Amino acid sequence: MTRRPRTGREPLNRERVLRAAIDVADAEGLDAVTMRRVGQALGVEAMSLYNHVDGKDALLDGMADLLVGEIETPPADVEWKEALRRRAWSGRATVRRHPWAPALFAARPQVRLPMVAYLDGVTGCLLGAGFSPQLAHTAVHVLDSRVLGFTRDLFDPGVQGMPDPALLEAMTGGALPHSQRIMAEAVHDDDVEFAFGLDLILDGLERARDSERSG
Amino acid sequence: MTRRPRTGREPLNRERVLRAAIDVADAEGLDAVTMRRVGQALGVEAMSLYNHVDGKDALLDGMADLLVGEIETPPADVEWKEALRRRAWSGRATVRRHPWAPALFAARPQVRLPMVAYLDGVTGCLLGAGFSPQLAHTAVHVLDSRVLGFTRDLFDPGVQGMPDPALLEAMTGGALPHSQRIMAEAVHDDDVEFAFGLDLILDGLERARDSERSG
DNA sequence: ACCTGAACACCGTTCAAGT
DNA sequence: ACCTGAACACCGTTCAAGT
């Protein structure tokens, strides 16, 4: 007689499906995330998931998006180094809660909007602190591999397939102002960036050793 | 009448199987590496591979081992910064040749002997340059995420399952002297390490910005 | 509108059988 | 000693059918 046939459970939605998938990955690892297993966690057949998610790949993409969303963004008035530090620790806490996160990020073929939005925030923080677009771009690369446990080239169109349409839309529509500026004003050279990050680390290590000796 | 029944092809071996798997991954991506597909690349049924490899997981482990083996080790008399730089560029070249490498490393549950041996070399280079075991240990962490596109805690037994017996054997048998020394003399604290690497990067970035401004 | 059952083409793996 | 064919339990996904 009522709308809900014979079970009291609330209807599925995209969010609940993604959360269930994350729970399965947390408990049993990323490989355990199958359509059938996630369905089971929700008390539903695997095929029901297709009503809320476009398929397995979309499910994994959605999981990655939610993970990035867990990283906290500090208020804009926090001093730049402190702001980057807070973001880094929040990102690290996320990876700790979900140890399979780096494997998921590394396996996904596309860099997606939430990740780019996160990096846009980091970039804005650096630009606001007086970094040139060129240096800010390079800095983001050095930082993100440390925080998220992986490195990926964002602006290199050769590596990935066609980017997410939503991403292009956000990019050209002004929703990612800092990334847009980097695209326009920074030269993109992987080797130069790699060399910069490497020397930054090596020089920092040398300094740390010397102060250790004299200390 | 001859030993080789009716085909002129040389018999399979472990090395050829692993190479074929790497070729498949290079050409069609890591997901294309299935037992059936690798068998096909060798002109053989999938089941034949089990004579040379313990299964799919062992195949993936073997691929990872071969990748690490592609990283060149500079002669021992090269100055430490230059030596680390060469190793880093060689590692980067390897990842470039096999873009799926970070995803594979991140997906494998265990850190294996060849990887530890590589890191042992990096550690030895730092110890030889006068770094304390503590600082050398931390330095390796900062470096490897930059070079290999991923970070993994080596000495944290909680994260991984039982380590490779061959790894334990090498560790206790003196084949990895530098890693052994780190295990014995360095305190392992993930948070301290993370904070160190983060500050090293942030301080380096600040210095780069300031010299950019004054330059 | 949402869920299901049966079906299809795949996957890793076992095992008995071939040479 | 090495390779194979058939079989098993899984996987993602389609589709027609249910409510």
Side-chain angles (χ1 to χ4, degrees):
Chain A
M1 271 339 222
T2 156
R3 275 297 191 57
R4 291 193 197 138
R6 64 187 176 286
T7 130
R9 69 163 186 259
E10 49 195 322
L12 248 44
N13 57 46
R14 184 182 150 82
E15 171 90 11
R16 280 189 61 216
V17 170
L18 296 179
R19 287 287 168 209
I22 287 176
D23 290 344
V24 170
D26 284 344
E28 302 168 31
L30 193 53
D31 287 343
V33 177
T34 67
M35 299 302 275
R36 283 168 170 89
R37 179 71 190 82
V38 174
Q40 181 191 319
L42 290 161
V44 115
E45 297 299 315
M47 306 75 198
S48 307
L49 304 181
Y50 286 82
N51 288 307
H52 306 99
V53 144
D54 265 349
K56 177 82 183 286
D57 280 332
L59 178 75
L60 294 174
D61 280 337
M63 292 169 71
D65 292 350
L66 282 190
L67 290 192
V68 174
E70 288 187 18
I71 305 175
E72 285 169 40
T73 303
D77 61 347
V78 179
E79 185 258 348
W80 73 273
K81 261 174 127 172
E82 176 61 20
L84 290 179
R85 228 186 304 265
R86 283 196 206 171
R87 243 190 268 252
W89 282 99
S90 178
R92 173 179 164 79
T94 300
V95 171
R96 288 237 153 164
R97 279 193 299 273
H98 314 290
W100 42 271
L104 175 61
F105 288 136
R108 292 286 77 208
Q110 316 265 353
V111 177
R112 287 164 56 77
L113 180 53
M115 175 71 81
V116 178
Y118 160 77
L119 296 173
D120 191 78
V122 175
T123 306
C125 181
L126 290 161
L127 291 175
F131 284 73
S132 71
Q134 190 70 62
L135 186 54
H137 174 42
T138 304
V140 168
H141 272 250
V142 181
L143 272 171
D144 80 343
S145 74
R146 184 80 197 140
V147 173
L148 295 178
F150 88 113
T151 318
R152 170 82 48 100
D153 262 308
L154 268 186
F155 303 115
D156 182 356
V159 175
Q160 344 183 33
M162 275 301 294
D164 187 0
L167 177 59
L168 284 180
E169 160 79 29
M171 202 65 136
T172 55
L176 303 166
H178 310 301
S179 304
Q180 214 166 350
R181 190 160 164 220
I182 299 292
M183 286 266 275
E185 298 178 35
V187 176
H188 180 74
D189 184 319
D190 279 354
D191 284 345
V192 170
E193 267 161 40
F194 184 79
F196 173 88
L198 187 59
D199 282 343
L200 186 148
I201 291 170
L202 290 176
D203 290 346
L205 290 175
E206 184 171 38
R207 228 178 329 259
R209 179 200 60 178
D210 293 344
S211 80
E212 185 182 52
R213 279 170 157 175
S214 66
Chain B
M1 273 334 224
T2 157
R3 276 295 190 57
R4 291 194 196 133
R6 64 187 176 285
T7 127
R9 68 165 187 259
E10 49 195 324
L12 248 44
N13 57 47
R14 186 182 148 82
E15 170 91 11
R16 280 189 62 215
V17 169
L18 297 178
R19 287 288 167 208
I22 288 176
D23 289 345
V24 169
D26 284 343
E28 302 167 33
L30 194 53
D31 287 343
V33 177
T34 67
M35 300 301 275
R36 284 166 169 90
R37 178 70 191 82
V38 174
Q40 181 192 318
L42 290 161
V44 116
E45 298 300 315
M47 305 76 196
S48 307
L49 304 182
Y50 286 82
N51 289 306
H52 306 98
V53 145
D54 265 348
K56 177 82 183 284
D57 279 333
L59 178 74
L60 294 174
D61 280 338
M63 292 169 70
D65 291 350
L66 282 190
L67 290 192
V68 173
E70 288 187 19
I71 304 176
E72 285 169 38
T73 303
D77 61 346
V78 179
E79 186 259 348
W80 73 274
K81 261 174 126 173
E82 175 61 20
L84 290 178
R85 227 187 304 267
R86 283 196 207 171
R87 243 190 268 253
W89 282 99
S90 178
R92 173 180 164 79
T94 300
V95 171
R96 287 235 153 166
R97 278 193 299 272
H98 314 290
W100 42 272
L104 176 61
F105 289 135
R108 292 287 76 207
Q110 316 264 355
V111 176
R112 288 163 56 77
L113 180 54
M115 175 71 82
V116 178
Y118 160 78
L119 296 172
D120 192 77
V122 174
T123 306
C125 181
L126 290 160
L127 291 174
F131 284 73
S132 71
Q134 190 72 61
L135 186 53
H137 174 42
T138 305
V140 167
H141 272 249
V142 181
L143 272 171
D144 78 345
S145 74
R146 185 77 197 142
V147 172
L148 295 178
F150 89 115
T151 318
R152 169 82 48 99
D153 262 307
L154 267 187
F155 302 114
D156 182 357
V159 175
Q160 345 183 33
M162 277 301 294
D164 186 3
L167 176 59
L168 285 179
E169 159 78 30
M171 202 66 138
T172 55
L176 302 167
H178 308 115
S179 304
Q180 214 166 349
R181 192 164 161 216
I182 299 291
M183 285 267 275
E185 298 179 33
V187 177
H188 181 75
D189 184 320
D190 279 355
D191 284 346
V192 170
E193 267 161 42
F194 184 78
F196 174 87
L198 187 59
D199 282 343
L200 186 147
I201 290 169
L202 290 176
D203 291 344
L205 289 176
E206 184 171 39
R207 229 179 327 260
R209 179 199 60 176
D210 293 343
S211 80
E212 185 183 52
R213 277 172 158 174
S214 65

